[in-house]
Amino acid sequence: MLLKKFPTLILVLSLWAAVASPSLAASPNYLGEKAGYEVSWSGISAGTAELKAETDAEGRSKFTVTAKTNSGVGFLYPLDISYNSTVGPDFESILFTTSGREGWGDPVEKRVEFLKEEGVSKYYNKGALRNTVSVTPDVLDPISVIYYFRQK
């Protein structure tokens, strides 16, 4: 059971550390930040996690969280995953993607498009539209919400 929760644990701890870190929180301009973490589990080196804030080719803010287990822990539970968030000029979520491998299952390819004008978000899994949900214009994805509160 704990191994199934391992990727979520890495993500939560990484995000908490980024928000709680005085050196990151003190900077009002987060673009260009890159925070790397060595992750351990019961004192054993388990892998790495990284948070990045940058600008994409269209000038929008892009936030990336990556997590990867090392070869020792990866033998038990392989993890090589990336979460990407893109927000617009008014800090509205535009796109949230998840890609990589989590566990022994199939590779993960998920995408959520936030269509502000239509008031919906569209969820795709492996390229196929799976669900459309009504959302408010100020909806944020799980990564951008952290940077949203940092700028407040």
Side-chain angles (χ1 to χ4, degrees):
M1 181 69 168
L2 182 59
L3 289 179
K4 285 183 118 177
K5 302 286 184 192
F6 185 69
T8 304
L9 179 63
I10 287 176
L11 178 62
V12 169
L13 291 176
S14 299
L15 297 177
W16 173 80
V19 172
S21 170
S23 62
L24 292 178
S27 171
N29 186 6
Y30 48 74
L31 293 175
E33 287 181 347
K34 186 175 179 180
Y37 301 92
E38 295 291 325
V39 180
S40 63
W41 181 36
S42 297
I44 300 169
S45 176
T48 59
E50 180 180 83
L51 283 83
K52 275 193 306 191
E54 56 194 353
T55 305
D56 72 6
E58 297 175 32
R60 304 174 300 192
S61 296
K62 181 179 178 184
F63 311 114
T64 303
V65 176
T66 56
K68 183 174 181 151
T69 51
N70 62 23
S71 58
V73 173
F75 176 74
L76 297 172
Y77 192 89
L79 176 71
D80 187 1
I81 196 118
S82 177
Y83 303 93
N84 296 285
S85 168
T86 304
V87 297
D90 295 328
F91 216 90
E92 72 278 13
S93 286
I94 296 172
L95 179 64
F96 180 75
T97 62
T98 304
S99 61
R101 183 174 296 274
E102 184 176 335
W104 296 102
D106 292 334
V108 176
E109 288 296 329
K110 296 179 182 177
R111 174 183 183 94
V112 179
E113 296 175 352
F114 298 90
L115 306 174
K116 186 177 179 177
E117 304 80 31
E118 298 175 31
V120 298
S121 67
K122 295 186 176 191
Y123 168 70
Y124 298 84
N125 190 357
K126 297 184 182 173
L129 179 62
R130 300 289 184 195
N131 201 4
T132 301
V133 177
S134 295
V135 295
T136 61
D138 58 351
V139 67
L140 295 171
D141 62 74
I143 306 300
S144 66
V145 72
I146 292 166
Y147 288 93
Y148 175 82
F149 282 111
R150 285 191 48 210
Q151 73 177 3
K152 293 294 176 187

